[in-house]
């Protein structure tokens, strides 16, 4: 039986409830699409309607995205991140478990932001649906923690800029991995990219696939080759984190995220797009 060190099951998380060092974080954002594009909405209302006992809510749109950034969800700087999570009671000694109520990519986004700042945290496998499927209760009761001291230190190579990606398109030692669905990939992608849809990495119930299956998926895409460094991207830097999370589960800790992703790449019409 293969395991994922960064994942925690609902049963294992339930056994930790009451641990004073535990910090459970609901990372939900609701993303919808229409003829005008993508729309992101805070998951605060669904959190208030029911969440894992002891959980807190961190608003990734309002608290952890830079409104003046290159793209809508650009990660805040280290100081701002430390201030936000510290104010929520997350400190250097906290054991952090993140989850969401949607498709898992917002949980991996928050996992990545913690990792970006030098802290490894766990993701609840299957999210809130797995918690409820295991028969565990939810609550509407809020949880408040005393502010804590959180030390943030950027992890080298975990995030790349548009300039880095422009250089990567002609660098054979870099593999650009597009995490969007095949139709979106076919409509146009950064030249030289391979496609590993984030949805292909999870089972129908939202849990992460077995390590053997993940190796097959990433191996076929060339993302496990020792002579290349993967850079994951998507539309806005969210689904890309599901790719880096799955790669990290396989021991591939050097995969980076292009935080601006297609939002930033297509902002300049002179940047090329490739179609199959």
């Amino acid at each position: 039986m293969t395991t994922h060190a960064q994942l925690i099951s609902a049963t294992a998380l339930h056994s930790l409830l009451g641990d004073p060092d535990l910090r459970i974080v609901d990372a939900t954002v609701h993303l919808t699409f229409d003829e005008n594009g993508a729309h992101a909405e805070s998951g605060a209302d669904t959190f208030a309607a029911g969440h894992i006992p002891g959980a807190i809510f961190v608003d990734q749109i309002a608290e952890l995205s830079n409104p003046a950034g290159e793209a809508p969800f650009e990660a805040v700087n280290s100081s701002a991140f430390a201030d936000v999570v510290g104010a929520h009671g997350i400190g250097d000694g906290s054991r952090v478990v993140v989850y969401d109520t949607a498709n898992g990519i917002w949980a991996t986004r928050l996992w990545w932001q913690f990792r970006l700042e030098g802290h490894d945290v766990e993701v609840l496998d299957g999210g809130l649906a797995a918690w409820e499927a295991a028969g565990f209760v939810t609550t509407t009761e809020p949880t408040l923690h005393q502010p804590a001291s959180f030390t943030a230190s950027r992890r080298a190579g975990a995030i790349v800029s548009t300039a880095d990606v422009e250089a990567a398109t002609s660098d054979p030692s870099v593999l650009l991995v597009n995490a969007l669905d095949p139709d979106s990939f076919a409509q146009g992608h950064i030249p030289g990219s391979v496609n590993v849809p984030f949805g292909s990495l999870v089972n129908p119930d939202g849990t992460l696939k077995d390590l053997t299956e993940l190796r097959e998926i990433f191996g076929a895409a060339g993302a496990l080759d020792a002579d290349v460094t993967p850079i994951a991207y998507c539309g806005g830097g969210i689904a890309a984190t599901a790719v880096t999370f799955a790669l990290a589960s396989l021991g591939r800790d050097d995969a980076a995220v292009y935080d601006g992703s297609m939002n930033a790449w297509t902002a300049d019409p002179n940047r090329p797009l490739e179609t199959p």
Side-chain angles (χ1 to χ4, degrees):
M1 181 69 176
T2 53
T3 59
H4 307 268
Q6 303 166 113
L7 284 176
I8 186 169
S9 69
T11 300
L13 178 58
H14 186 265
S15 71
L16 295 175
L17 295 185
D19 183 336
D21 294 327
L22 180 66
R23 297 292 183 268
I24 306 172
V25 184
D26 187 320
T28 301
V29 174
H30 299 293
L31 194 62
T32 57
F33 299 88
D34 60 24
E35 63 276 6
N36 296 315
H39 306 277
E41 181 181 350
S42 170
D45 287 347
T46 50
F47 173 80
H51 52 264
I52 295 173
I56 59 173
F57 179 75
V58 173
D59 192 327
Q60 295 194 77
I61 301 174
E63 298 181 280
L64 296 181
S65 297
N66 176 14
E70 183 182 30
F73 301 113
E74 179 177 293
V76 294
N77 62 34
S78 297
S79 176
F81 184 85
D83 288 346
V84 167
V85 300
H88 282 289
I90 299 171
D92 293 339
S94 299
R95 180 175 182 175
V96 181
V97 176
V98 298
Y99 75 93
D100 67 32
T101 64
N103 52 15
I105 61 174
W106 291 99
T108 59
R109 172 69 182 189
L110 188 52
W111 163 86
W112 173 75
Q113 283 202 260
F114 271 102
R115 186 175 177 81
L116 178 64
E117 303 302 346
H119 288 252
D120 289 320
V121 305
E122 296 162 286
V123 173
L124 175 59
D125 198 14
L128 185 64
W131 179 267
E132 294 177 325
F136 301 133
V137 301
T138 59
T139 182
T140 59
E141 292 297 317
T143 297
L144 296 175
H145 299 293
Q146 290 297 315
S149 176
F150 184 92
T151 304
S153 179
R154 280 282 162 109
R155 186 177 300 206
I159 186 171
V160 297
S161 66
T162 297
D164 295 327
V165 174
E166 286 178 325
T169 59
S170 57
D171 185 349
S173 70
V174 176
L175 181 68
L176 294 169
V177 183
N178 182 303
L180 296 174
D181 63 274
D183 287 344
S184 298
F185 179 76
Q187 290 170 15
H189 52 266
I190 300 171
S193 302
V194 298
N195 187 209
V196 180
F198 75 89
S200 70
L201 305 175
V202 295
N203 298 306
D205 63 356
T207 56
L208 193 64
K209 284 186 174 178
D210 183 90
L211 295 182
T212 300
E213 295 175 281
L214 293 179
R215 286 192 190 96
E216 292 175 354
I217 292 169
F218 285 113
L224 299 182
D225 294 351
D227 57 350
V228 299
T229 300
I231 293 177
Y233 74 96
C234 52
I238 310 303
T241 64
V243 166
T244 56
F245 179 79
L247 282 169
S249 296
L250 295 172
R252 184 100 214 211
D253 294 327
D254 59 342
V257 168
Y258 173 25
D259 200 23
S261 284
M262 290 293 284
N263 284 336
W265 184 262
T266 58
D268 183 348
N270 292 318
R271 292 194 189 103
L273 290 175
E274 187 174 75
T275 55

